[in-house]
Protein backbone atom coordinates (compact mmCIF):
# COMPACT_ATOMS: atom_id res chain seq x y z
CA UNK A 1 0.00 0.00 0.00
CA UNK A 2 1.24 3.50 -0.82
CA UNK A 3 1.67 6.16 1.80
CA UNK A 4 -1.50 7.92 0.75
CA UNK A 5 -3.61 9.05 -2.13
CA UNK A 6 -3.26 12.53 -3.56
CA UNK A 7 -6.21 13.48 -5.74
CA UNK A 8 -5.74 16.46 -8.01
CA UNK A 9 -8.82 18.08 -9.52
CA UNK A 10 -7.81 19.28 -12.97
CA UNK A 11 -11.21 20.82 -13.62
CA UNK A 12 -10.72 23.00 -10.52
CA UNK A 13 -7.33 24.15 -11.86
CA UNK A 14 -8.97 25.00 -15.19
CA UNK A 15 -11.80 26.86 -13.42
CA UNK A 16 -9.31 28.82 -11.30
CA UNK A 17 -7.41 29.83 -14.44
CA UNK A 18 -10.63 30.97 -16.09
CA UNK A 19 -11.56 33.02 -13.02
CA UNK A 20 -8.13 34.67 -12.83
CA UNK A 21 -8.26 35.31 -16.58
CA UNK A 22 -11.58 37.12 -16.07
CA UNK A 23 -10.10 39.06 -13.13
CA UNK A 24 -7.14 40.09 -15.33
CA UNK A 25 -9.54 42.02 -17.57
CA UNK A 26 -10.43 41.78 -21.25
CA UNK A 27 -7.39 43.61 -22.59
CA UNK A 28 -4.93 41.41 -20.73
CA UNK A 29 -3.71 37.93 -21.59
CA UNK A 30 -3.34 35.42 -18.75
CA UNK A 31 -0.40 33.03 -18.61
CA UNK A 32 0.24 30.24 -16.14
CA UNK A 33 3.14 29.53 -13.78
CA UNK A 34 3.90 25.79 -13.60
CA UNK A 35 7.32 25.84 -11.90
CA UNK A 36 8.31 23.35 -9.19
CA UNK A 37 6.45 20.49 -10.88
CA UNK A 38 3.28 22.54 -11.18
CA UNK A 39 3.46 23.59 -7.51
CA UNK A 40 3.97 19.97 -6.56
CA UNK A 41 0.87 18.70 -8.34
CA UNK A 42 2.45 17.26 -11.50
CA UNK A 43 3.71 19.64 -14.18
CA UNK A 44 2.69 17.69 -17.28
CA UNK A 45 -0.93 17.02 -16.30
CA UNK A 46 -1.38 20.47 -14.83
CA UNK A 47 0.05 22.18 -17.93
CA UNK A 48 -2.22 20.19 -20.23
CA UNK A 49 -5.26 21.13 -18.15
CA UNK A 50 -4.24 24.80 -18.30
CA UNK A 51 -3.64 24.67 -22.05
CA UNK A 52 -7.08 23.11 -22.41
CA UNK A 53 -8.54 26.00 -20.40
CA UNK A 54 -6.89 28.50 -22.76
CA UNK A 55 -3.43 29.37 -21.41
CA UNK A 56 -0.89 29.98 -24.17
CA UNK A 57 2.12 31.25 -22.20
CA UNK A 58 3.71 29.15 -19.48
CA UNK A 59 6.40 30.06 -16.96
CA UNK A 60 8.95 27.80 -15.24
CA UNK A 61 11.91 28.40 -12.94
CA UNK A 62 14.61 26.77 -15.04
CA UNK A 63 15.24 25.14 -18.38
CA UNK A 64 14.82 21.50 -17.27
CA UNK A 65 11.33 22.31 -16.06
CA UNK A 66 10.67 23.91 -19.43
CA UNK A 67 11.66 20.67 -21.14
CA UNK A 68 9.00 18.78 -19.16
CA UNK A 69 6.35 21.31 -20.15
CA UNK A 70 7.39 21.26 -23.82
CA UNK A 71 7.15 17.46 -23.87
CA UNK A 72 3.69 17.66 -22.31
CA UNK A 73 2.33 20.39 -24.59
CA UNK A 74 4.14 19.91 -27.87
CA UNK A 75 4.99 22.84 -30.13
CA UNK A 76 2.90 25.98 -29.96
CA UNK A 77 2.56 27.35 -26.45
CA UNK A 78 5.32 29.72 -25.37
CA UNK A 79 7.42 28.62 -22.39
CA UNK A 80 9.37 31.25 -20.45
CA UNK A 81 12.25 30.47 -18.10
CA UNK A 82 12.61 32.77 -15.07
CA UNK A 83 16.27 31.93 -14.44
CA UNK A 84 17.14 33.20 -17.90
CA UNK A 85 19.98 31.86 -20.03
CA UNK A 86 22.40 30.06 -17.72
CA UNK A 87 25.67 28.54 -18.78
CA UNK A 88 24.83 25.07 -20.11
CA UNK A 89 21.24 25.95 -21.06
CA UNK A 90 21.88 26.89 -24.68
CA UNK A 91 21.10 23.57 -26.37
CA UNK A 92 17.98 22.96 -24.34
CA UNK A 93 16.64 26.47 -24.90
CA UNK A 94 17.25 26.15 -28.61
CA UNK A 95 16.10 22.57 -29.19
CA UNK A 96 12.92 22.94 -27.18
CA UNK A 97 12.12 26.51 -28.12
CA UNK A 98 12.19 27.87 -24.57
CA UNK A 99 12.31 31.61 -23.98
CA UNK A 100 14.82 32.76 -21.32
CA UNK A 101 13.88 35.79 -19.20
CA UNK A 102 17.25 37.56 -19.40
CA UNK A 103 18.15 39.05 -16.03
CA UNK A 104 21.66 40.52 -16.43
CA UNK A 105 24.07 41.96 -18.94
CA UNK A 106 26.06 38.72 -18.79
CA UNK A 107 23.02 36.72 -19.76
CA UNK A 108 22.14 39.09 -22.59
CA UNK A 109 25.65 38.77 -23.98
CA UNK A 110 25.56 34.99 -23.65
CA UNK A 111 22.20 34.80 -25.37
CA UNK A 112 23.03 37.08 -28.28
CA UNK A 113 26.33 35.30 -28.90
CA UNK A 114 25.02 31.75 -28.62
CA UNK A 115 21.54 32.11 -30.12
CA UNK A 116 21.38 35.39 -32.01
CA UNK A 117 18.04 34.58 -33.68
CA UNK A 118 16.34 32.99 -30.67
CA UNK A 119 13.58 34.76 -28.76
CA UNK A 120 14.10 36.09 -25.25
CA UNK A 121 12.38 38.18 -22.61
CA UNK A 122 13.69 40.74 -20.14
CA UNK A 123 13.32 40.58 -16.40
CA UNK A 124 13.62 43.84 -14.46
CA UNK A 125 14.17 44.31 -10.75
CA UNK A 126 11.79 47.01 -9.52
CA UNK A 127 12.40 46.51 -5.81
CA UNK A 128 12.43 42.87 -4.82
CA UNK A 129 16.21 42.61 -5.17
CA UNK A 130 16.03 38.97 -6.10
CA UNK A 131 16.23 38.55 -9.85
CA UNK A 132 16.32 40.88 -12.81
CA UNK A 133 18.26 43.82 -14.17
CA UNK A 134 18.65 46.84 -11.94
CA UNK A 135 17.14 50.05 -13.37
CA UNK A 136 20.57 51.51 -14.17
CA UNK A 137 21.72 48.34 -15.89
CA UNK A 138 18.53 48.23 -17.95
CA UNK A 139 18.72 51.87 -19.03
CA UNK A 140 22.25 51.20 -20.30
CA UNK A 141 21.13 48.12 -22.22
CA UNK A 142 17.74 49.27 -23.42
CA UNK A 143 18.91 50.46 -26.80
CA UNK A 144 20.66 47.16 -27.44
CA UNK A 145 17.83 44.96 -26.21
CA UNK A 146 14.67 46.65 -27.46
CA UNK A 147 15.54 46.59 -31.19
CA UNK A 148 15.95 42.82 -30.84
CA UNK A 149 12.25 42.61 -30.01
CA UNK A 150 12.03 40.83 -26.67
CA UNK A 151 8.80 38.84 -26.44
CA UNK A 152 8.06 40.17 -22.97
CA UNK A 153 9.34 42.53 -20.30
CA UNK A 154 8.46 41.52 -16.77
CA UNK A 155 9.03 42.35 -13.15
CA UNK A 156 7.71 40.84 -9.91
CA UNK A 157 5.89 42.39 -6.96
CA UNK A 158 7.36 41.75 -3.53
CA UNK A 159 4.27 42.49 -1.42
CA UNK A 160 1.30 41.79 -3.68
CA UNK A 161 -0.41 39.74 -0.96
CA UNK A 162 -0.52 42.91 1.18
CA UNK A 163 -2.82 45.23 -0.80
CA UNK A 164 -2.10 48.14 1.56
CA UNK A 165 1.66 47.99 1.09
CA UNK A 166 2.96 51.17 -0.62
CA UNK A 167 5.61 48.97 -2.25
CA UNK A 168 3.01 47.76 -4.78
CA UNK A 169 2.33 51.17 -6.29
CA UNK A 170 6.00 52.14 -6.12
CA UNK A 171 7.00 49.04 -8.10
CA UNK A 172 4.22 49.53 -10.68
CA UNK A 173 5.28 53.16 -11.15
CA UNK A 174 8.93 52.27 -11.63
CA UNK A 175 8.01 49.44 -14.01
CA UNK A 176 5.91 51.85 -16.08
CA UNK A 177 8.79 54.33 -16.24
CA UNK A 178 11.38 51.71 -17.19
CA UNK A 179 9.22 50.31 -19.99
CA UNK A 180 7.74 53.57 -21.34
CA UNK A 181 7.75 53.69 -25.11
CA UNK A 182 9.21 50.19 -25.58
CA UNK A 183 6.18 48.85 -27.42
CA UNK A 184 6.83 45.42 -25.95
CA UNK A 185 4.27 43.37 -23.99
CA UNK A 186 4.69 43.83 -20.23
CA UNK A 187 3.90 41.62 -17.26
CA UNK A 188 4.06 42.63 -13.60
CA UNK A 189 1.48 40.59 -11.74
CA UNK A 190 1.24 37.10 -10.34
CA UNK A 191 -1.87 35.99 -8.40
CA UNK A 192 -1.68 38.77 -5.81
CA UNK A 193 -1.13 41.50 -8.39
CA UNK A 194 -4.16 40.41 -10.42
CA UNK A 195 -6.30 41.02 -7.35
CA UNK A 196 -4.81 44.52 -6.86
CA UNK A 197 -6.70 45.75 -9.91
CA UNK A 198 -6.27 47.03 -13.46
CA UNK A 199 -3.30 49.33 -12.75
CA UNK A 200 -1.26 46.19 -12.18
CA UNK A 201 -2.38 44.06 -15.13
CA UNK A 202 -0.45 45.44 -18.14
CA UNK A 203 -0.55 43.13 -21.19
CA UNK A 204 -0.02 39.77 -19.47
CA UNK A 205 -0.55 38.33 -16.00
CA UNK A 206 1.23 35.24 -14.62
CA UNK A 207 -0.73 33.54 -11.83
CA UNK A 208 0.62 30.53 -9.98
CA UNK A 209 -0.72 29.80 -6.50
CA UNK A 210 -4.26 30.92 -7.29
CA UNK A 211 -4.50 28.22 -9.97
CA UNK A 212 -3.73 25.63 -7.33
CA UNK A 213 -6.28 26.83 -4.79
CA UNK A 214 -4.13 28.99 -2.53
CA UNK A 215 -4.26 32.46 -0.97
CA UNK A 216 -4.45 35.29 -1.77
CA UNK A 217 -7.04 34.06 -4.31
CA UNK A 218 -9.54 33.22 -1.58
CA UNK A 219 -12.29 32.42 -4.10
CA UNK A 220 -10.21 29.65 -5.66
CA UNK A 221 -11.66 26.18 -5.92
CA UNK A 222 -9.75 23.62 -3.87
CA UNK A 223 -7.52 21.47 -6.05
CA UNK A 224 -5.82 18.87 -3.84
CA UNK A 225 -7.26 16.19 -1.59
CA UNK A 226 -4.88 14.06 0.46
CA UNK A 227 -6.11 10.85 2.09
CA UNK A 228 -3.80 8.83 4.32
CA UNK A 229 -4.41 5.16 5.16
CA UNK A 230 -4.83 4.22 8.80
CA UNK A 231 -2.37 1.42 9.58
CA UNK A 232 -3.06 0.98 13.26
CA UNK A 233 -5.51 2.11 15.92
CA UNK A 234 -5.72 1.76 19.65
CA UNK A 235 -6.23 3.55 22.92
CA UNK A 236 -3.59 5.59 24.68
CA UNK A 237 -4.29 5.27 28.39
CA UNK A 238 -4.37 8.26 30.73
CA UNK A 239 -0.81 9.15 31.67
CA UNK A 240 0.77 7.51 28.60
CA UNK A 241 2.55 9.53 25.95
CA UNK A 242 2.69 9.51 22.15
CA UNK A 243 5.66 9.67 19.82
CA UNK A 244 9.30 10.68 19.97
CA UNK A 245 10.32 12.51 23.12
CA UNK A 246 6.88 11.99 24.63
CA UNK A 247 5.71 15.50 23.74
CA UNK A 248 1.99 14.64 24.17
CA UNK A 249 0.54 12.99 27.26
CA UNK A 250 -3.01 11.65 27.58
CA UNK A 251 -5.11 13.17 30.37
CA UNK A 252 -7.86 10.62 29.72
CA UNK A 253 -7.94 7.36 27.80
CA UNK A 254 -7.77 8.47 24.16
CA UNK A 255 -8.59 6.47 21.03
CA UNK A 256 -5.95 7.06 18.38
CA UNK A 257 -5.18 6.13 14.79
CA UNK A 258 -1.78 6.02 13.11
CA UNK A 259 -1.52 6.94 9.43
CA UNK A 260 1.15 5.79 7.05
CA UNK A 261 2.75 9.12 6.05
CA UNK A 262 5.06 11.52 7.75
CA UNK A 263 7.51 14.30 7.19
CA UNK A 264 9.23 12.30 4.45
CA UNK A 265 5.96 12.76 2.54
CA UNK A 266 5.77 16.48 3.18
CA UNK A 267 3.64 16.44 6.32
CA UNK A 268 5.76 19.12 7.88
CA UNK A 269 7.22 18.33 11.28
CA UNK A 270 6.05 21.78 12.36
CA UNK A 271 2.54 20.23 12.54
CA UNK A 272 3.68 18.36 15.67
CA UNK A 273 0.96 18.80 18.33
CA UNK A 274 -0.58 21.57 16.17
CA UNK A 275 -2.25 20.36 13.00
CA UNK A 276 -5.20 18.07 12.47
CA UNK A 277 -6.34 15.26 10.22
CA UNK A 278 -10.00 14.87 9.30
CA UNK A 279 -12.54 12.10 8.73
CA UNK A 280 -16.29 12.34 8.13
CA UNK A 281 -16.16 16.09 8.78
CA UNK A 282 -14.62 15.54 12.22
CA UNK A 283 -11.34 17.14 13.28
CA UNK A 284 -8.76 14.70 14.64
CA UNK A 285 -5.86 16.59 16.27
CA UNK A 286 -2.31 15.41 15.61
CA UNK A 287 -0.79 13.95 18.76
CA UNK A 288 2.91 14.22 19.45
CA UNK A 289 5.73 14.50 16.97
CA UNK A 290 5.21 13.96 13.27
CA UNK A 291 7.54 11.05 12.43
CA UNK A 292 9.24 10.31 9.13
CA UNK A 293 6.65 7.76 8.03
CA UNK A 294 3.74 8.12 10.40
CA UNK A 295 1.48 10.50 12.28
CA UNK A 296 -0.82 9.74 15.22
CA UNK A 297 -4.19 11.47 15.55
CA UNK A 298 -6.85 11.66 18.25
CA UNK A 299 -9.97 9.97 16.84
CA UNK A 300 -12.13 10.37 19.93
CA UNK A 301 -14.59 12.46 17.88
CA UNK A 302 -15.30 9.53 15.55
CA UNK A 303 -17.81 6.73 16.00
CA UNK A 304 -15.48 4.12 14.55
CA UNK A 305 -11.93 3.75 13.30
CA UNK A 306 -11.78 5.18 9.76
CA UNK A 307 -9.96 3.53 6.84
CA UNK A 308 -8.19 6.79 6.20
CA UNK A 309 -7.67 10.27 7.59
CA UNK A 310 -7.30 13.34 5.37
CA UNK A 311 -4.79 16.15 5.59
CA UNK A 312 -6.25 18.08 2.66
CA UNK A 313 -10.03 17.90 2.30
CA UNK A 314 -13.03 20.23 1.99
CA UNK A 315 -12.81 21.05 5.71
CA UNK A 316 -9.06 21.81 5.63
CA UNK A 317 -7.38 23.40 2.62
CA UNK A 318 -3.72 24.12 1.96
CA UNK A 319 -3.85 27.49 3.72
CA UNK A 320 -5.33 26.03 6.91
CA UNK A 321 -2.54 23.45 7.01
CA UNK A 322 -0.02 26.19 6.28
CA UNK A 323 -1.33 28.31 9.15
CA UNK A 324 -0.98 25.36 11.55
CA UNK A 325 2.58 24.77 10.34
CA UNK A 326 3.54 28.45 10.44
CA UNK A 327 4.18 28.63 6.69
CA UNK A 328 2.39 29.40 3.40
CA UNK A 329 0.29 27.26 1.09
CA UNK A 330 3.05 27.31 -1.52
CA UNK A 331 5.31 25.33 0.82
CA UNK A 332 2.61 22.82 1.72
CA UNK A 333 1.93 22.10 -1.96
CA UNK A 334 5.54 21.94 -3.13
CA UNK A 335 6.42 19.65 -0.20
CA UNK A 336 3.83 17.02 -1.16
CA UNK A 337 5.77 13.80 -1.27
CA UNK A 338 6.74 11.52 -4.10
CA UNK A 339 5.46 8.40 -2.34
CA UNK A 340 1.77 9.24 -2.74
CA UNK A 341 -0.33 7.55 -5.38
CA UNK A 342 -1.50 10.43 -7.53
CA UNK A 343 -4.91 10.38 -9.12
CA UNK A 344 -6.10 13.04 -11.53
CA UNK A 345 -9.80 13.83 -11.51
CA UNK A 346 -11.72 15.84 -14.07
CA UNK A 347 -11.71 15.92 -17.82
CA UNK A 348 -9.46 18.92 -18.34
CA UNK A 349 -6.11 17.11 -18.64
C1 LIG B 1 6.34 32.11 -8.66
C2 LIG B 1 6.26 33.31 -9.51
C3 LIG B 1 5.04 33.72 -10.06
C4 LIG B 1 3.72 33.14 -9.61
O1 LIG B 1 3.41 33.68 -8.34
P1 LIG B 1 2.13 33.29 -7.50
O2 LIG B 1 2.22 34.11 -6.29
O3 LIG B 1 2.25 31.83 -7.23
O4 LIG B 1 0.93 33.58 -8.34
C5 LIG B 1 5.05 34.75 -10.99
N1 LIG B 1 6.21 35.35 -11.33
C6 LIG B 1 7.40 35.01 -10.81
C7 LIG B 1 8.63 35.72 -11.21
C8 LIG B 1 7.46 33.98 -9.87
O5 LIG B 1 8.65 33.65 -9.33
Amino acid sequence: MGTGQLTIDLDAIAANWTALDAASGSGTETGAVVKANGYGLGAARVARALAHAGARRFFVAHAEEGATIRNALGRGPEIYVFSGHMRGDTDMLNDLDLIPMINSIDQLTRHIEALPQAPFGIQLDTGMNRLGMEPGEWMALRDVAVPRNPRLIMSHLASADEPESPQNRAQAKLFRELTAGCGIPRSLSATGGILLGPDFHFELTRPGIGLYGGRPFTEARAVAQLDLPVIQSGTVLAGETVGYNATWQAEVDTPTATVQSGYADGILRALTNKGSLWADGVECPILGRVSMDSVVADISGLERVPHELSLLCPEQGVDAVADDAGTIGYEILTSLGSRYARRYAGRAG
Side-chain angles (χ1 to χ4, degrees):
M1 187 187 275
T3 67
Q5 174 150 298
L6 178 60
T7 305
I8 295 142
D9 184 346
L10 296 172
D11 287 345
I13 294 178
N16 290 337
W17 185 85
T18 301
L20 287 167
D21 184 40
S24 295
S26 54
T28 298
E29 185 183 339
T30 305
V33 179
V34 292
K35 63 192 179 188
N37 191 28
Y39 286 50
L41 298 177
R45 299 296 297 266
V46 162
R48 281 201 290 269
L50 289 163
H52 194 258
R56 288 290 168 268
R57 301 207 219 191
F58 293 82
F59 293 84
V60 294
H62 42 75
E64 281 77 5
E65 293 183 342
T68 303
I69 302 302
R70 179 61 75 210
N71 288 335
L73 298 182
R75 297 280 157 184
E78 291 187 344
I79 301 171
Y80 294 85
V81 179
F82 287 139
S83 63
H85 190 152
M86 301 277 288
R87 209 191 312 277
D89 284 348
T90 303
D91 286 347
M92 196 176 275
L93 294 174
N94 193 41
D95 295 348
L96 297 174
D97 197 11
L98 309 176
I99 306 175
M101 295 304 302
I102 299 296
N103 56 51
S104 67
I105 184 164
D106 286 354
Q107 287 206 352
L108 187 64
T109 308
R110 180 181 295 134
H111 189 71
I112 291 174
E113 283 178 359
L115 300 172
Q117 306 302 327
F120 65 97
I122 296 283
Q123 188 163 190
L124 302 180
D125 179 9
T126 54
M128 191 155 175
N129 287 306
R130 179 179 73 168
L131 207 53
M133 293 186 202
E134 295 289 321
E137 195 179 7
W138 166 240
M139 292 320 272
L141 284 178
R142 225 180 107 129
D143 292 345
V144 178
V146 171
R148 293 179 173 270
N149 273 319
R151 292 280 175 92
L152 186 68
I153 303 186
M154 62 162 266
S155 189
H156 193 50
L157 295 169
S159 305
D161 58 347
E162 295 174 64
E164 304 308 320
S165 168
Q167 193 177 19
N168 294 319
R169 295 217 160 265
Q171 285 193 264
K173 180 167 178 284
L174 179 56
F175 187 55
R176 208 167 256 117
E177 288 164 8
L178 293 174
T179 55
C182 282
I184 289 160
R186 294 161 300 172
S187 177
L188 179 63
S189 286
T191 304
I194 293 173
L195 304 175
L196 293 177
D199 287 353
F200 294 85
H201 293 166
F202 295 89
E203 284 73 50
L204 177 81
T205 56
R206 336 175 285 276
I209 191 68
L211 305 174
Y212 310 105
R215 282 202 296 253
F217 185 37
T218 47
E219 277 146 48
R221 268 173 62 180
V223 168
Q225 163 102 20
L226 179 58
D227 303 313
L228 310 169
V230 171
I231 48 174
Q232 188 173 318
S233 62
T235 301
V236 178
L237 299 176
E240 291 185 324
T241 62
V242 173
Y244 284 118
N245 307 108
T247 62
W248 185 86
Q249 183 171 38
E251 285 172 12
V252 296
D253 295 358
T254 305
T256 63
T258 303
V259 296
Q260 171 159 275
S261 305
Y263 62 75
D265 304 289
I267 302 180
L268 300 184
R269 200 161 162 281
L271 293 169
T272 291
N273 285 317
K274 287 216 185 95
S276 293
L277 303 177
W278 289 75
D280 300 331
V282 173
E283 184 167 10
C284 302
I286 290 173
L287 303 180
R289 291 259 155 93
V290 171
S291 298
M292 183 186 290
D293 311 296
S294 60
V295 178
V296 179
D298 174 351
I299 58 166
S300 51
L302 297 173
E303 312 259 293
R304 65 180 89 83
V305 178
H307 292 298
E308 52 201 13
L309 287 163
S310 305
L311 181 70
L312 299 173
C313 54
E315 295 82 8
Q316 178 168 274
V318 290
D319 291 309
V321 175
D323 288 346
D324 286 338
T327 183
I328 52 177
Y330 301 70
E331 191 179 14
I332 300 299
L333 287 174
T334 56
S335 300
L336 289 168
S338 56
R339 296 194 290 186
Y340 298 131
R342 285 162 184 253
R343 194 171 74 81
Y344 289 88
R347 289 160 300 138

